Amino acid sequence: MTLARLVLTSGRSIDLSELWLSSTYGGMLEGYPCKPVNEMKIKGLLQSAERGFPRTPVHLVPPAREYPDQYAGAFGPVEVLPSVACVGRFRSDAMNPAHDPVLYRSDLTVIWFQPTTQVPSGCDAEAGLREVAWDELAQDYEL
């Protein structure tokens, strides 16, 4: 069952089949949002996605970063990512025209950040998510 259908800027429709949402800074007991913390968060999401979907390529949409005018601590300036971290598995039609369209599909796991918990759909998804280069990143698989 499809959770949502997105239309990429390339015109390709992709179906969201699985979605994990988490608070970007949930569970952060000490410290503050900064580049080292953000890089650890991103690395952890990449590793989780690779373990969770071992046969599917994983792509990170580079997140927007804000630099509020706050005191820089020991780890450098404050750097804030959007509040919701998302890991989604997407499927679409096969990319290779030689593949039988009944027997083949393509898939890609994508990590992105967004300000709300709203499930992306249609053309209303975050711009970075809609600009994913599906034909370069996804892979075909046989059903």
Side-chain angles (χ1 to χ4, degrees):
M1 181 174 140
T2 298
L3 297 173
R5 176 165 285 167
L6 278 71
V7 180
L8 301 179
T9 54
S10 66
R12 177 183 281 274
S13 290
I14 60 173
D15 294 329
L16 178 61
S17 59
E18 295 183 50
L19 178 62
W20 301 343
L21 301 175
S22 63
S23 170
T24 300
Y25 300 111
M28 191 167 124
L29 300 176
E30 292 187 33
Y32 61 96
C34 58
K35 186 173 182 79
V37 167
N38 292 338
E39 295 306 316
M40 285 190 308
K41 176 67 175 181
I42 290 168
K43 182 179 178 181
L45 287 169
L46 286 166
Q47 290 172 341
S48 293
E50 289 166 353
R51 281 192 309 270
F53 306 106
R55 66 164 200 79
T56 305
V58 175
H59 172 67
L60 170 69
V61 173
R65 297 168 191 257
E66 292 182 10
Y67 300 92
D69 188 21
Q70 295 178 358
Y71 174 76
F75 299 110
V78 174
E79 179 185 89
V80 181
L81 299 176
S83 60
V84 181
C86 307
V87 178
R89 184 173 182 196
F90 292 90
R91 295 183 177 144
S92 187
D93 297 330
M95 297 176 302
N96 186 337
H99 286 157
D100 183 335
V102 174
L103 296 176
Y104 285 85
R105 300 285 184 273
S106 58
D107 63 356
L108 178 65
T109 299
V110 181
I111 298 167
W112 75 98
F113 292 82
Q114 61 185 37
T116 69
T117 58
Q118 183 174 344
V119 175
S121 67
C123 296
D124 294 333
E126 296 291 313
L129 183 57
R130 292 194 60 236
E131 293 169 1
V132 166
W134 189 268
D135 292 341
E136 297 171 22
L137 300 168
Q139 71 179 17
D140 284 351
Y141 66 95
E142 188 173 8
L143 297 175

